[in-house]
Amino acid sequence: TLAALREAKKLGARVLSIVNVVGSSIANESDDVLYTWAGPEISVATTKAYSTQLCVVYLLVLYMADLLGTISKQEYQNYVADLEALPSLIEKTISDTKQIQAVAAKYYQCENIFFIGRNIDYALSLEGSLKLKEISYIHSEAYAAGELKHGPIALIEDGVTVISILTDASLVEKSISNIQEVITRGAKTIVVTNLELPNSYDTILNIPNTHPFISPVLSVVPLQLLAYYISKEKGLDVDKPRNLAKSVTVE
């Protein structure tokens, strides 16, 4: 990242960085800095720094949209209100983790776990899959649900676990169709959602409802917790996974 920053500056770019650590190399070499103030994070697998970075990106996007007039004043105020409500919604999400712990106890011996989602939920699938492989060492991949038929579905067989993220009401029909595809091929299904869904899946992890635009800040929490509890079930060091370092110093 630092090498890319230096190359961009060499070519005349102005650099705005979103960072957590005050006085870091990236902060020192940037023209402008937005600090996330997440505080020290001991764990190699970042959680709160990820979430705060995401929120700062949202604020930056909303600020620019307001300046450019691409959203109305009312939309702007609604988005900000939704962002301000996130702490209490996250608190609600982590206040009762018994269901997630039970899921972890059930699936921690899996050898393969796949994540699927559409649109913004696909981006969350990538993060959920990353966290799982980082700290539990379970082989995990994330796929865009709409591309299942283009190869990944060949990996689905009896006993394989598929985690689906479904938070966009406009994509419910297509997403449910994808989940049914893996069920008919023998997959165990875990669905993370803020929507009312038929009770036809092995596990449904419900999260509070919010605007689809900022739902990733909420939907990532059960994925982080699931990776955490699976790692704990396996007796692993959650904070210091093997082969990983907090700061990568070689290219």
Side-chain angles (χ1 to χ4, degrees):
T1 306
L2 196 54
L5 182 155
R6 289 167 178 163
E7 182 68 15
K9 288 196 74 170
K10 190 168 73 176
L11 295 172
R14 185 178 181 87
V15 177
L16 167 65
S17 293
I18 300 172
V19 297
N20 185 38
V21 180
V22 177
S24 67
S25 297
I26 287 177
N28 289 338
E29 296 194 31
S30 299
D31 298 296
D32 298 288
V33 183
L34 290 173
Y35 287 111
T36 57
W37 304 111
E41 188 162 58
I42 306 305
S43 173
V44 170
T46 179
T47 50
K48 64 181 181 179
Y50 170 88
S51 298
T52 51
Q53 281 181 337
L54 203 51
C55 289
V56 171
V57 170
Y58 286 137
L59 288 170
L60 186 62
V61 169
L62 289 173
Y63 175 72
M64 290 180 172
D66 183 47
L67 286 180
L68 293 169
T70 54
I71 58 173
S72 69
K73 292 293 182 184
Q74 187 60 55
E75 285 177 309
Y76 177 83
Q77 291 171 2
N78 290 344
Y79 279 129
V80 171
D82 285 340
L83 284 169
E84 290 176 337
L86 281 174
S88 62
L89 294 179
I90 291 173
E91 187 81 30
K92 183 178 178 182
T93 304
I94 64 175
S95 63
D96 183 3
T97 60
K98 290 179 182 175
Q99 186 188 16
I100 296 176
Q101 290 183 55
V103 172
K106 184 178 179 180
Y107 292 99
Y108 77 97
Q109 291 180 312
C110 288
E111 293 184 3
N112 299 287
I113 295 180
F114 299 113
F115 288 72
I116 59 172
R118 283 177 174 266
N119 202 350
I120 203 165
D121 291 333
Y122 168 53
L124 251 293
S125 296
L126 291 166
E127 176 63 13
S129 175
L130 176 65
K131 282 292 168 287
L132 186 67
K133 69 179 71 171
E134 277 184 328
I135 64 174
S136 77
Y137 316 147
I138 292 174
H139 172 250
S140 174
E141 302 295 339
Y143 298 106
E147 297 174 10
L148 268 178
K149 286 291 190 72
H150 296 271
I153 202 163
L155 300 172
I156 307 300
E157 57 187 0
D158 278 344
V160 164
T161 301
V162 176
I163 299 176
S164 305
I165 296 94
L166 209 176
T167 62
D168 190 338
S170 67
L171 296 171
V172 166
E173 191 175 334
K174 290 179 181 293
S175 297
I176 287 179
S177 174
N178 294 135
I179 300 171
Q180 287 302 134
E181 290 274 3
V182 300
I183 289 174
T184 58
R185 286 160 177 80
K188 300 293 184 182
T189 53
I190 301 169
V191 182
V192 176
T193 187
N194 53 10
L195 306 169
E196 289 290 330
L197 297 179
N199 193 21
S200 56
Y201 312 113
D202 294 287
T203 304
I204 295 179
L205 299 176
N206 292 111
I207 57 172
N209 196 29
T210 188
H211 195 285
F213 176 60
I214 61 172
S215 66
V217 182
L218 283 178
S219 49
V220 74
V221 175
L223 302 183
Q224 292 170 337
L225 285 169
L226 185 60
Y228 171 81
Y229 285 119
I230 286 177
S231 180
K232 294 286 282 184
E233 285 286 342
K234 298 179 75 171
L236 302 173
D237 187 336
V238 176
D239 291 328
K240 298 176 182 177
R242 68 187 183 198
N243 305 334
L244 296 181
K246 193 67 178 172
S247 177
V248 178
T249 56
V250 293
E251 290 187 38

